[in-house]
C-alpha cells in the first residue's frame, strides 16, 4: 500500500438496530464518517463494516481486517461514530486505544467528541465503562425476554429442528416437514432394530439421503450448517431430542457471562419443557424404548460379528448387573454370563456364573413373545383379568399401607393447623414467650412440611397403581400392531420386553438342566405364572 489510509469503521448489532433504528444504521454511519474524513483532509479512505455483530465480541471480521492493516502499518487514522462502535468491553477498548497511540494512529469518535490529535479526553474511560454497562443491561433484558418466551412455549431458535418447518401463518409454530419426518421415523426404527448411530449414518449416506443442513437449505431454511453428509453424531442427536414428541425444549445451554463465547450444557432439571406445542413425529412409547436402548447399549457386536437381539436386556438375578456375552473358543457357542462372576478372582467368586446359552435363551424368548401376544389377542378379557390379578396381588398390601399412612398424615396435618393457631393466640395473649413460640412454631412447621411432602408421595403411589388397571388394554393395543411375530429381532424384543432376569441354573448343560427366567414385559411388568423354568435340551 503506497499511501496510508484513514480507516472508517462501522458496526451495527441487532440490538442497536431494534433500539435505535435508522439513526444508527450502517448507511448513516458511512455518510457521517465520510464527511468527517473529508473535513479532516483524509483523501484515501477505506470502509470496514461489521453488520449484526455484538460489541462484546471482538472477533468481528471487519474489525479483524482493520487490525491486520494496523499491524501492517497501513493505517494513519481510525474514524468511528462513537466509542461504543469499537466495542462494549472497556478494558479491551482501552488496550486498542493504547495500541493506536503507540502506532501514532489518530482516533476520532465523532459523536463522543474524541479526537486524539487534540489530546486525550479524560472522560473517555468512563464513557467506555458506561458502554459496557449498557451491553450488560441489554444482555439481561434479552435473557429475561427469552426466558418469558420459553415459559410460554415459544421456540427460541431462528429455524426449526430437522423434521419440522416454520408455519407460514405463525413464525413461532412448527409444522411437520413430511420428507424429513419420514427419515426421522426411519432412524428411530433402525435404532429399534439394533443399529447404532454410526451404522445408521453410513446407511443414509450410502443411499444419498440429504443431510439435515442440505435438506433445510433446499427448503429455504438457513441453518448455518456446513455438513453435506450425515456424520458427527447427527443421528445420536436426533435419537435424543424431546422435540420429536411434540414438546418445546429451551434452556439446554447457557453462557457463564455475556462476554463469553463458549456455551455450556445445562443440567436436565434446568431445561424448560413445554409439552404438546406442535405435532409429534415419534410416539412416546417408541421414544422411551429408544432411550432405554441407547442407555443399555453402547452395544457391541458379539465375537462372531453379529449383534445379539437380547444384548443389554439380560440381568443377573443376584447381583442385578447386566449379563455380557462370551464365546467358547472350542464349540463356538455363545453364552451370557454374569460380569461380577467373570471379573472376580478364581476361588473368591463374588457371584455365580448364571451361564445362559444364547442358542437356548433366544428361541425361548421368541416363543414367550409369541405365546403372550397370541393369548392377549385371542383372550382379551381373560388376559386383562390375569394382569389385574397380578397387579392387585403385588400392590394390595402396599396400597393398604399407603392408604392408612395417607389418612393418618392428613389427620395430623389438620391437628397441626389447630396447634399452630393456638400457639399464636397464646403468644399474642402473653401466655407464651416469643422465644418459646419461635422454637415450638418452627418444630411444628417442619413436621407439617415433612407430612405434606410424604402425602404427595403417597398420592402419586396410589395414582400410579390405579393407572395400571389400564395397562393390560394398552398392551393389547400394542399386540394388535404386531400381528405376526415370526423372528426375534432387536426391535420386536424392545417393543414387548423391558428386561429379562436370569437365575442361576441347576444341573449340567444337556442333562436336565433347569434355569428360571423372569420376563418383565413393557407396560404390564412380570405377569403371574410367566416365570419360566425350562429344561435345556441335550445337544
Amino acid at each position: 500500500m503506497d499511501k496510508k489510509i484513514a480507516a472508517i469503521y462501522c458496526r451495527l448489532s441487532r440490538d442497536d438496530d431494534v433500539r435505535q433504528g435508522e439513526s444508527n444504521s450502517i448507511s448513516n454511519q458511512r455518510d457521517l464518517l465520510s464527511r468527517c474524513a473529508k473535513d479532516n483532509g483524509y483523501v484515501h479512505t477505506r470502509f470496514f463494516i461489521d453488520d449484526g455483530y455484538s460489541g462484546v465480541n471482538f472477533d468481528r471480521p471487519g474489525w479483524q481486517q482493520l487490525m491486520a492493516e494496523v499491524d501492517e502499518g497501513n493505517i494513519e487514522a481510525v474514524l468511528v461514530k462513537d466509542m461504543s462502535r469499537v466495542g462494549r468491553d472497556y478494558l479491551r477498548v482501552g488496550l486498542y486505544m493504547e495500541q493506536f497511540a503507540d502506532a501514532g494512529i489518530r482516533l476520532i469518535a465523532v459523536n463522543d467528541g474524541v479526537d486524539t490529535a487534540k489530546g486525550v479526553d479524560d472522560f473517555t474511560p468512563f464513557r467506555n465503562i458506561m458502554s459496557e454497562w449498557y451491553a450488560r443491561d441489554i444482555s439481561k433484558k434479552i435473557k429475561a425476554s427469552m426466558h418469558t418466551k420459553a415459559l410460554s412455549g415459544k421456540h427460541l431458535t431462528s429455524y426449526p429442528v430437522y423434521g419440522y418447518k416454520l408455519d407460514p401463518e405463525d413464525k413461532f409454530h412448527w409444522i411437520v416437514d413430511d420428507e424429513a419426518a419420514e427419515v426421522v421415523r426411519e432412524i428411530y426404527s433402525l435404532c429399534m432394530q439394533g443399529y447404532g448411530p454410526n451404522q445408521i449414518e453410513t446407511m443414509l449416506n450410502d443411499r444419498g439421503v440429504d443431510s439435515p443442513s442440505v435438506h433445510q437449505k433446499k427448503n429455504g431454511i438457513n441453518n448455518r450448517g456446513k455438513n453435506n453428509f450425515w456424520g458427527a453424531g447427527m443421528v445420536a442427536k436426533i435419537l435424543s431430542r424431546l422435540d420429536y414428541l411434540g414438546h418445546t425444549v429451551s434452556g439446554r445451554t447457557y453462557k457463564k457471562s455475556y462476554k463469553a463465547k463458549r456455551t455450556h450444557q445445562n443440567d436436565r432439571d434446568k431445561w424448560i419443557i413445554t409439552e404438546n406445542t406442535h405435532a409429534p413425529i415419534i410416539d412416546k412409547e417408541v421414544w422411551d424404548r429408544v432411550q432405554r436402548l441407547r442407555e443399555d447399549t453402547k452395544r457391541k457386536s458379539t465375537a462372531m460379528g453379529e449383534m445379539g437381539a437380547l444384548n443389554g436386556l439380560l440381568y443377573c438375578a443376584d447381583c442385578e448387573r447386566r449379563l455380557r456375552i462370551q464365546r467358547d473358543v472350542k464349540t463356538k457357542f455363545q453364552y451370557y454370563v454374569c460380569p461380577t462372576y467373570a471379573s472376580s478372582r478364581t476361588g473368591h467368586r463374588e457371584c455365580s456364573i448364571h451361564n445362559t446359552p444364547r442358542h437356548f435363551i433366544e428361541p425361548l424368548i421368541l416363543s414367550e413373545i409369541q405365546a403372550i401376544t397370541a393369548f392377549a389377542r385371542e383372550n382379551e378379557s381373560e388376559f386383562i383379568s390375569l394382569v389385574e390379578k397380578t397387579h392387585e396381588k403385588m400392590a394390595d398390601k402396599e396400597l393398604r399401607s399407603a392408604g392408612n399412612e395417607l389418612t393418618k398424615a392428613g389427620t395430623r396435618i389438620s391437628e397441626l393447623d389447630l396447634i399452630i393457631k393456638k400457639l399464636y393466640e397464646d403468644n399474642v395473649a402473653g401466655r407464651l414467650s416469643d422465644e418459646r413460640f419461635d422454637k415450638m412454631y418452627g418444630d411444628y412447621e417442619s413436621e407439617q412440611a415433612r407430612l405434606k411432602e410424604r402425602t404427595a408421595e403417597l398420592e402419586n403411589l396410589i395414582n400410579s397403581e390405579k393407572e395400571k388397571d389400564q395397562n393390560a388394554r394398552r398392551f393389547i393395543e400394542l399386540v394388535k400392531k404386531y400381528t405376526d411375530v415370526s423372528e426375534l429381532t432387536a426391535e420386536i424384543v424392545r417393543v414387548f420386553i423391558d428386561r429379562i432376569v436370569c437365575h442361576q441354573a441347576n444341573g449340567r448343560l444337556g442333562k436336565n438342566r433347569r434355569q428360571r427366567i423372569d420376563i418383565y414385559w413393557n407396560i404390564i411388568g412380570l405377569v403371574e405364572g410367566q416365570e419360566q423354568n425350562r429344561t435345556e435340551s441335550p445337544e
Side-chain angles (χ1 to χ4, degrees), residues 304-538:
M304 297 175 71
E306 180 186 358
M307 189 79 76
L310 300 179
N311 283 13
L313 288 181
L314 299 172
Y315 290 82
C316 172
D318 296 319
C319 70
E320 300 182 354
R321 290 184 64 187
R322 190 180 297 121
L323 301 186
R324 69 186 185 201
I325 198 163
Q326 290 186 351
R327 178 177 140 184
D328 187 288
V329 178
K330 294 181 180 179
T331 64
K332 307 300 182 185
F333 286 123
Q334 296 182 56
Y335 303 86
Y336 289 98
V337 298
C338 173
T340 303
Y341 171 88
S343 62
S344 53
R345 291 182 301 159
T346 303
H348 296 86
R349 300 292 187 183
E350 297 175 13
C351 195
S352 53
I353 190 169
H354 291 74
N355 183 311
T356 308
R358 181 180 176 187
H359 68 272
F360 158 65
I361 189 73
E362 289 188 353
L364 169 64
I365 297 303
L366 176 60
S367 67
E368 290 305 319
I369 293 175
Q370 291 170 334
I372 197 168
T373 54
F375 179 69
R377 188 165 45 245
E378 297 166 9
N379 306 276
E380 284 192 19
S381 58
E382 190 177 346
F383 177 76
I384 291 171
S385 177
L386 174 63
V387 173
E388 289 177 347
K389 180 182 176 182
T390 302
H391 287 157
E392 286 172 7
K393 183 177 179 181
M394 295 171 61
D396 188 46
K397 183 177 179 181
E398 185 176 4
L399 281 176
R400 280 203 307 270
S401 175
N404 292 335
E405 187 180 351
L406 183 61
T407 300
K408 291 178 180 178
T411 301
R412 181 57 178 166
I413 288 172
S414 298
E415 289 175 354
L416 288 171
D417 282 333
L418 294 174
I419 291 171
I420 290 171
K421 181 180 179 182
K422 186 70 167 60
L423 279 177
Y424 181 75
E425 291 173 350
D426 288 346
N427 177 252
V428 172
R431 293 188 293 269
L432 188 67
S433 68
D434 289 344
E435 182 179 354
R436 186 65 174 164
F437 169 80
D438 290 340
K439 184 180 186 309
M440 296 178 71
Y441 177 80
D443 291 342
Y444 287 131
E445 277 281 289
S446 298
E447 181 185 357
Q448 193 174 58
R450 288 195 299 271
L451 286 170
K452 287 180 178 179
E453 184 177 345
R454 179 57 179 162
T455 296
E457 293 174 359
L458 293 169
E459 288 174 345
N460 288 335
L461 173 62
I462 292 171
N463 290 334
S464 66
E465 289 299 332
K466 288 179 179 177
E467 288 174 2
K468 288 181 180 178
D469 292 344
Q470 302 299 320
N471 286 352
R473 292 177 176 82
R474 289 175 56 208
F475 190 83
I476 290 172
E477 291 301 315
L478 186 64
V479 166
K480 290 177 179 177
K481 295 180 183 178
Y482 296 85
T483 55
D484 181 24
V485 181
S486 57
E487 181 183 0
L488 192 73
T489 64
E491 179 179 7
I492 288 295
V493 169
R494 280 159 182 81
V495 163
F496 289 105
I497 295 177
D498 176 56
R499 68 186 188 280
I500 302 166
V501 177
C502 300
H503 296 257
Q504 176 59 28
N506 296 316
R508 298 184 62 185
L509 189 64
K511 295 183 179 180
N512 266 348
R513 181 179 185 272
R514 297 180 66 83
Q515 182 174 18
R516 175 177 167 178
I517 306 293
D518 296 339
I519 302 173
Y520 289 81
W521 304 94
N522 284 327
I523 304 174
I524 59 175
L526 181 68
V527 179
E528 188 178 53
Q530 290 293 317
E531 302 92 338
Q532 302 301 323
N533 290 280
R534 292 301 175 98
T535 301
E536 176 71 9
S537 302

Side-chain angles (χ1 to χ4, degrees), residues 259-273:
K259 296 181 182 180
K261 302 174 191 175
R262 183 181 175 186
T263 58
H264 302 269
Q265 294 296 320
N266 247 332
D267 294 335
R268 176 70 175 268
D269 58 1
K270 293 181 180 177
W271 292 3
I272 300 173
I273 302 173

